[in-house]
Amino acid sequence: MSLAYLAQEAVETTNTVKGYGAIGFGLAAIGPGIGIGILVGKAMESMARQPEMAGQIRTTMFLGIAFTEALALIGLVAGFIF
């Protein structure tokens, strides 16, 4: 096999794999998106039930959002690595 042939095969394989990385990140972003939606909805529901706890619930909600968003960033990094 010639070196030019191997280089051409590597270029074609790289172009095909790039599309799969975008699909993988899209799928990885679905989970955190659903998780944040559920988290915020339940926090709003609990604030409506106990308004005096709104400050503490809001703080806990933001911590949960940060941890859930970290999953999306891990999915982004995994898309670049693989």
Side-chain angles (χ1 to χ4, degrees), residues 15-82:
N15 290 338
T16 305
V17 173
K18 284 183 182 179
Y20 292 132
I23 292 171
F25 176 65
L27 292 174
I30 289 173
I34 292 171
I36 289 174
I38 291 171
L39 178 75
V40 172
K42 294 294 182 176
M44 293 296 157
E45 181 181 333
S46 63
M47 282 186 229
R49 290 177 185 240
Q50 292 184 340
E52 66 274 2
M53 295 295 293
Q56 195 172 15
I57 292 169
R58 188 176 300 118
T59 302
T60 307
M61 179 188 70
F62 286 135
L63 282 172
I65 288 173
F67 289 135
T68 307
E69 194 64 33
L71 294 174
L73 293 175
I74 291 169
L76 176 67
V77 171
F80 284 127
I81 290 174
F82 301 119

